[in-house]
Amino acid sequence: EKSDKNLSPLESVVSSLTDRFLEQKLVRFQKMKREKMISLKNTTKSSLVTYFENQDDEVIYPRNDDANFLLGKGSFGAVYFGMYESSSSCSKLSASSASSSVSEFIPIAIKVLTISNQNEKKQVEKEIKNLQLMENPEDKYAVVQFKGYAMHQSEISSTCDYFLAQELGLCNVMQLFDGQTIASFPPQIKRDRRCLYQLKVEIVKEICRAVESIHRNKSYKIAHGDLHETNILVMLDGKVKLTDVG
């Protein structure tokens, strides 16, 4: 492992923020009762269809009115902190679970989209198709990794909800430079304009690397088309990745 002295400005910032970010979310998650969570898994209900890697995989996340787990909002919907359990994991989360049980779940981001017309539906399905195309190893460090999705069709209206399970990011680049986050930067970054400049240069280089990676892939032809600060995520491992590839 790199020593603190050998970390780049971006690695230094991420390492100082990630543990705190995860700890806050996991502690709150543990304290929640199961009945206050939404579970997405294979079911006999005809109104819910899931497309996760394995038949017994499960995604759980707090109900949409809990602002503590809201990661971001967009024109179509919102993104929440959640957990993904693969069928390879044998433990289940319950109201009395210990922290060791929670660790069996992978922290993820749940993108919740409420669709009311065919044009919106086509756009979401296009994003899902693109994410599935980008599941190959070449794009592992360019685009947030896709875990699967669920779709719930309303029984009383034409609206439907899509739940996209994706790799969890620390924040987007806009959030990285807001006042509250910068206050938590390591002192050598926060007080040194040169380090802040190097941090921004490093992020721009990472963005260029991610864009180049998807543009040079010969197995598909995709241009992002909507690249802005909220679609560029700083990941928990310090990588910079793209999201919203619809």
Side-chain angles (χ1 to χ4, degrees):
E1 295 183 1
K2 293 183 179 180
S3 67
D4 291 343
K5 292 182 179 180
N6 293 327
L7 293 178
S8 70
L10 181 57
E11 289 171 329
S12 297
V13 165
V14 168
S15 63
S16 71
L17 298 178
T18 295
D19 289 344
R20 185 181 309 171
F21 169 80
L22 280 178
E23 183 180 3
Q24 289 174 344
K25 293 290 186 289
L26 290 173
V27 168
R28 285 176 177 149
F29 204 91
Q30 279 182 267
K31 291 179 179 178
M32 290 196 72
K33 294 182 178 180
R34 187 61 184 258
E35 57 265 27
K36 292 187 176 180
M37 298 182 184
I38 294 175
S39 171
L40 303 172
K41 62 186 299 186
N42 289 331
T43 175
T44 56
K45 293 180 181 178
S46 59
S47 59
L48 179 67
V49 182
T50 59
Y51 296 89
F52 299 122
E53 185 175 347
N54 301 302
Q55 184 175 355
D56 296 325
D57 290 357
E58 180 180 14
V59 167
I60 55 175
Y61 74 100
R63 296 189 180 277
N64 301 359
D65 57 356
D66 194 329
N68 289 319
F69 297 97
L70 179 66
L71 300 176
K73 277 189 174 182
S75 56
F76 267 29
V79 181
Y80 295 90
F81 177 90
M83 290 287 189
Y84 183 93
E85 185 192 36
S86 172
S87 55
S88 60
S89 172
C90 59
S91 69
K92 297 288 181 180
L93 184 67
S94 66
S96 60
S97 291
S99 59
S100 58
S101 296
V102 177
S103 67
E104 297 294 331
F105 287 75
I106 303 169
I108 57 169
I110 309 294
K111 190 174 182 179
V112 183
L113 308 168
T114 298
I115 306 304
S116 57
N117 62 62
Q118 284 300 312
N119 287 336
E120 291 177 351
K121 186 174 182 179
K122 286 180 181 179
Q123 189 166 340
V124 173
E125 290 177 346
K126 180 183 176 183
E127 179 174 2
I128 291 171
K129 182 179 178 181
N130 288 346
L131 286 167
Q132 289 171 331
L133 285 172
M134 294 177 174
E135 286 180 319
N136 59 69
E138 295 176 44
D139 297 311
K140 183 178 179 181
Y141 299 111
V143 179
V144 291
Q145 295 298 288
F146 189 51
K147 299 291 184 182
Y149 73 99
M151 190 272 286
H152 177 263
Q153 178 65 56
S154 172
E155 297 176 351
I156 59 174
S157 71
S158 60
T159 63
C160 62
D161 293 321
Y162 280 88
F163 306 86
L164 278 60
Q166 300 176 320
E167 183 181 11
L168 179 67
L170 175 63
C171 59
N172 63 51
V173 292
M174 183 171 67
Q175 294 167 331
L176 186 66
F177 290 102
D178 71 18
Q180 185 176 356
T181 310
I182 286 182
S184 302
F185 280 10
Q188 70 273 20
I189 302 291
K190 184 169 54 177
R191 299 170 186 169
D192 189 332
R193 288 187 179 182
R194 184 169 177 271
C195 279
L196 278 173
Y197 174 77
Q198 289 175 337
L199 172 62
K200 294 175 182 179
V201 170
E202 189 177 353
I203 289 173
V204 171
K205 289 170 69 175
E206 285 280 298
I207 295 168
C208 292
R209 174 197 51 76
V211 172
E212 181 189 21
S213 179
I214 63 173
H215 283 185
R216 73 184 177 200
N217 195 306
K218 296 179 180 179
S219 61
Y220 56 76
K221 295 181 179 180
I222 292 176
H224 193 287
D226 189 28
L227 198 62
H228 54 77
E229 61 271 19
T230 59
N231 288 339
I232 301 166
L233 298 186
V234 179
M235 309 307 292
L236 301 177
D237 61 358
K239 297 292 183 182
V240 175
K241 295 187 180 183
L242 309 180
T243 187
D244 287 351
V245 293

